Amino acid sequence: MEIPRRRLRLMSALLSALAMVIVVQLVKVQIVDHRFYKEWGREQRERSIAIADPPRGVIRDRAGHLLAGNGVRYSVEAAPVYVVDATAAATALSPRLHLPLGQVESQLRSDAPWALLAASVPKETGEEIASLGLRGITVRPQWVREYPEGSLTAYVTGFCNADGEGFYGVEGFYDDLLRPRTVEWHGPVDPSSEQIPWAVAPVVLPHPGTELVLTLDRTIQALAEEELSRSLAEFQAQGGTVIVLDARTFEILALVSLPDYDPARYGELYSTNPDLASDPAVSKQYEPGSVFKVLTVAAALDSGLVTPETTYQDTGHIEVGGVVVSNASHRAYGEQTVADILIKSLNVGAAWLSTQMGPDLFYRYALAFGIGRPTEVDLAGEVAGRMWLPDDYEHWHEADLATNAFGQGLAVTPIQMVTAIATVANDGARLRPHIVARRIEPDGQVFTYRPTVEAQVISTATARTLTDVMVRVVEEGVPQAQVPGYRVAGKTGTAQIPIPGGYDPQGTIVSFVGFGPVPDPQVVVLVKLERPRTSTWASETAARSFARLMGRLFIVLGVPPNDGLEVAGL
Amino acid sequence: MWFPAGVERMHWVRRSLRQGRSKVNRRAVLHLALLVALVTVLSVAYLMLVGGTAARGRHIQQLQAELFRLQRENEQLEVQIAAESAIVRLRERAKSLGFVPAERVVFVP
């Protein structure tokens, strides 16, 4: 009897010990490591899945016309393990996807857990395949960015890639706002990560990106594009830019550059000419040439140094800092007025003015006009231009004071130049140029852009005096820029193209910047043409383009002529 | 039989059952039955509630899917309309209809 009793005790002890181990383990699992195991279990049965795939915010012009919207395409995917009849499925899919039968069938028979049959098929094809109800075949909708106006607004909109990232233009600048907010649902899911509706999930409404309404007018944009295209062909120029700005609000009404590209086919762009993607109006800097004389004369007039009637002796050349500056015609004009500096586009006169002012005053005004710094326009990729200042001992030379006065030795972007001239048209007040008029949030809230004065660069009186001189520039100096029935003001710019070691003798960049009608300017227009062949002078090329475009703009904007009520010869 | 044969120690249960007509035992059985019924009713109600909730959840999912489908349809249609009325199309259409740019404009005061 001793042995069984001993065995019983031993067994009891062992069982007790085992029970103790179990109890300790239970305490450990249930109490000590409670949080860990609870979290582990939750992770296994719950997931965060995106249940709403809202679209990117759309972009419209000022009248509500769609410039960038969202189309739908489908990706066709397969889970080969669930495909019942690979041959039948491949026979059904192959002609619809325009893929070889063998390729589709081998994908459907593969051991891979997932196979992408087609990344992007048209909506109709996707819906047709979905309606076939093929087991193991998933048709997934996806957004694709569409640009209904095509290349017409390419540089304004920029483009958006397949991952929904915006580049260049408005797409790039406002990428964060345009991106939709993905709504995720967290809860129990089945093995295929599908939502299990154990509870009434909160109602999720799509939360698309912010809608942007631009200041751009697509009709004016089309006019500008048409005129630029005509000018490139007529003057055999390699490229060009046109900007139309509202003279009172600095709203961009049109912004065109050629050659351009189709933003919906941005992929082709990168394989052919990636440089074409950046917007020349904000990213490409050039020497402005004589257009800059307007700013030089503005500074001299506003500082009280001269009046339009002040005279100087034009000997045909002037030496500043060891560099001899000559007039473009290499002629000496004798006694000339300050107004003549603009009307006859005299380099010597401009250099004389800047040296009279001195570097401090001259560069203070140039900076106030926005030269050498970004305008902060709401378009991606803006560059600052280049203007060396006297405190930059490494780069600035005394001769720069003379050459800068007539737009040489510095670089500007078209948007900087048109903004500077618009400042004169706007009674001396410089505003920030902008292209977004208002944004509409998904909840319906509307935020409207209110233009603010960046700087009162010159007085109203100076601006009006200068405007009168610029009208004389058109009437007496560049009649090619005259618009029948309207008084317009403007200035030509013919600039050499800097190359290492000097200037390119072969070509020029010609431009004309002007506004009208005077005395109540509505629009400011910049026309810039690169390397025209029929003539290297702005007066024979860009000025003519300006006049034609301005004439049509006045009609479209409903601006009556200065004299009479009839406009002919359009 | 409710209990397996040979379970000697369960004799008190059998005795109680044999004495089932006693008031105390009948009341106990009644209470037990009520309890079972209550639990059954509550269970059914709970199941109905969970089932209804799941059905509603599923319905909401379907409505959301329909909402997203309509939104895609709407966006796609807007793009198509915009493409049809794009400036390039309008220009072509105007040309084909014989429109030409005006050469003379008169403003009406």
Side-chain angles (χ1 to χ4, degrees):
Chain A
M1 290 301 283
E2 278 300 311
I3 294 167
R5 195 171 291 163
R6 214 180 291 158
R7 278 183 185 164
L8 271 174
R9 277 193 201 127
L10 186 65
M11 285 300 291
S12 301
L14 280 172
L15 286 172
S16 301
L18 192 63
M20 279 301 290
V21 169
I22 291 170
V23 167
V24 168
Q25 192 62 15
L26 271 174
V27 168
K28 186 173 181 298
V29 169
Q30 296 283 353
I31 297 168
V32 179
D33 294 335
H34 170 76
R35 269 195 197 159
F36 169 76
Y37 285 104
K38 192 179 170 187
E39 192 61 29
W40 191 19
R42 201 178 58 77
E43 278 176 15
Q44 284 181 336
R45 67 175 190 279
E46 291 184 2
R47 291 271 189 288
S48 285
I49 51 173
I51 53 169
D53 183 21
R56 188 175 171 84
V58 300
I59 302 172
R60 299 179 191 281
D61 84 338
R62 64 189 303 132
H65 296 115
L66 194 70
L67 303 180
N70 302 289
V72 180
R73 290 181 79 85
Y74 286 85
S75 68
V76 183
E77 301 157 21
V81 71
Y82 294 110
V83 175
V84 181
D85 186 346
T87 308
T91 309
L93 291 172
S94 166
R96 292 179 171 90
L97 298 178
H98 305 292
L99 291 172
L101 179 67
Q103 182 190 325
V104 178
E105 193 169 347
S106 69
Q107 278 187 290
L108 296 183
R109 289 188 190 283
S110 73
D111 296 329
W114 174 87
L116 178 66
L117 300 177
S120 177
V121 300
K123 184 170 173 284
E124 296 72 27
T125 310
E127 286 172 356
E128 191 185 342
I129 292 171
S131 68
L132 296 174
L134 298 170
R135 268 197 76 182
I137 305 294
T138 307
V139 182
R140 207 180 296 278
Q142 57 193 14
W143 295 113
V144 60
R145 202 65 162 163
E146 302 267 10
Y147 300 91
E149 298 291 344
S151 59
L152 178 65
T153 54
Y155 286 117
V156 173
T157 57
F159 61 83
C160 178
N161 71 6
D163 295 328
E165 295 169 291
F167 294 92
Y168 302 104
V170 174
E171 293 271 29
F173 193 89
Y174 288 102
D175 190 36
D176 288 344
L177 280 176
L178 288 165
R179 281 188 193 215
R181 195 186 302 162
T182 303
V183 180
E184 288 194 338
W185 175 87
H186 187 88
V189 292
D190 66 12
S192 58
S193 292
E194 289 296 328
Q195 191 181 356
I196 298 175
W198 279 355
V200 179
V203 176
V204 179
L205 292 172
H207 201 288
T210 302
E211 179 179 329
L212 298 178
V213 179
L214 306 188
T215 58
L216 197 88
D217 184 316
R218 74 166 187 168
T219 307
I220 296 176
Q221 179 82 356
L223 283 181
E225 196 255 1
E226 199 176 295
E227 180 49 49
L228 183 58
S229 182
R230 178 182 169 183
S231 298
L232 295 194
E234 186 178 336
F235 306 125
Q236 296 169 26
Q238 288 183 358
T241 296
V242 169
I243 301 176
V244 181
L245 213 63
D246 185 302
R248 293 298 174 214
T249 60
F250 286 36
E251 290 178 345
I252 295 173
L253 301 175
L255 185 146
V256 181
S257 288
L258 289 175
D260 56 14
Y261 67 98
D262 184 351
R265 296 182 175 182
Y266 67 92
E268 292 171 17
L269 185 73
Y270 275 97
S271 57
T272 53
N273 188 2
D275 292 339
L276 211 58
S278 57
D279 181 0
V282 298
S283 306
K284 206 168 180 177
Q285 53 190 31
Y286 67 107
E287 287 200 358
S290 297
V291 175
F292 204 88
K293 286 173 186 157
V294 174
L295 311 190
T296 305
V297 172
L301 291 175
D302 195 65
S303 59
L305 189 72
V306 293
T307 66
E309 291 75 34
T310 304
T311 58
Y312 77 101
Q313 278 300 320
D314 191 312
T315 56
H317 57 83
I318 183 172
E319 185 183 336
V320 181
V323 172
V324 178
V325 168
S326 308
N327 288 319
S329 62
H330 300 288
R331 277 177 52 199
Y333 286 81
E335 190 177 80
Q336 296 293 313
T337 64
V338 167
D340 288 330
I341 294 173
L342 287 182
I343 296 165
K344 296 175 184 170
S345 199
L346 302 172
N347 292 348
V348 172
W352 171 75
L353 272 183
S354 66
T355 50
Q356 291 296 303
M357 278 187 278
D360 286 349
L361 199 59
F362 174 76
Y363 288 108
R364 199 197 310 155
Y365 273 100
L367 287 170
F369 271 112
I371 306 301
R373 61 177 73 163
T375 62
E376 296 182 17
V377 65
D378 42 354
L379 289 165
E382 188 189 13
V383 297
R386 197 204 65 226
M387 181 172 70
W388 306 127
L389 296 174
D391 56 5
D392 184 348
Y393 302 111
E394 197 180 334
H395 295 102
W396 188 83
H397 302 283
E398 198 184 339
D400 286 339
L401 181 62
T403 56
N404 288 173
F406 53 91
Q408 263 195 3
L410 50 78
V412 299
T413 59
I415 193 73
Q416 277 178 334
M417 207 61 241
V418 76
T419 304
I421 299 299
T423 303
V424 178
N426 192 36
D427 290 339
R430 180 167 64 85
L431 311 184
R432 185 183 299 180
H434 61 281
I435 198 154
V436 168
R438 59 183 183 276
R439 57 188 172 94
I440 304 168
E441 296 294 330
D443 61 6
Q445 268 190 293
V446 180
F447 296 91
T448 305
Y449 179 91
R450 293 186 193 287
T452 49
V453 177
E454 296 268 304
Q456 183 69 41
V457 183
I458 53 175
S459 68
T460 304
T462 304
R464 291 187 177 167
T465 304
L466 187 58
T467 299
D468 289 339
V469 176
M470 289 174 74
V471 169
R472 287 180 61 197
V473 169
V474 173
E475 289 175 350
E476 299 171 30
V478 195
Q480 297 93 327
Q482 283 183 353
V483 181
Y486 296 91
R487 287 184 81 213
V488 294
K491 181 72 189 86
T492 50
T494 303
Q496 291 174 292
I497 302 168
I499 54 171
Y503 284 95
D504 187 347
Q506 299 297 320
T508 54
I509 290 178
V510 296
S511 59
F512 192 94
V513 192
F515 52 87
V518 176
D520 183 21
Q522 303 289 308
V523 284
V524 185
V525 172
L526 171 142
V527 178
K528 170 179 163 265
L529 303 173
E530 287 166 29
R531 297 178 182 275
R533 280 190 187 169
T534 55
S535 169
T536 53
W537 296 100
S539 55
E540 294 300 325
T541 52
R544 294 182 190 279
S545 309
F546 167 84
R548 287 195 298 245
L549 176 60
M550 206 65 160
R552 296 181 75 184
L553 280 179
F554 287 144
I555 303 301
V556 168
L557 293 170
V559 180
N562 292 86
D563 311 312
L565 292 168
E566 186 176 328
V567 183
L570 288 167
Chain B
M1 292 295 284
W2 288 12
F3 302 99
V7 183
E8 293 296 325
R9 290 181 185 178
M10 298 300 279
H11 64 278
W12 62 274
V13 177
R14 273 179 273 148
R15 192 170 64 229
S16 297
L17 288 170
R18 278 199 298 271
Q19 296 170 352
R21 287 183 183 179
S22 73
K23 267 188 180 176
V24 176
N25 288 342
R26 266 189 307 194
R27 196 176 296 145
V29 169
L30 190 65
H31 284 173
L32 190 65
L34 279 173
L35 186 67
V36 169
L38 187 66
V39 168
T40 306
V41 167
L42 284 176
S43 301
V44 169
Y46 176 72
L47 274 175
M48 285 174 68
L49 187 70
V50 170
T53 306
R56 278 204 187 87
R58 181 72 190 139
H59 186 56
I60 287 171
Q61 277 181 17
Q62 286 169 341
L63 287 175
Q64 278 181 347
E66 181 65 5
L67 180 70
F68 299 148
R69 192 189 67 76
L70 288 171
Q71 190 186 32
R72 285 198 296 271
E73 199 75 25
N74 195 34
E75 294 274 333
Q76 177 74 35
L77 285 171
E78 192 181 12
V79 165
Q80 280 176 7
I81 292 167
E84 289 299 321
S85 56
I87 285 278
V88 180
R89 288 286 178 93
L90 294 181
R91 202 182 276 159
E92 284 170 5
R93 191 90 197 281
K95 265 187 188 169
S96 68
L97 291 171
F99 284 92
V100 290
E103 290 179 354
R104 182 173 156 271
V105 175
V106 177
F107 283 83
V108 180

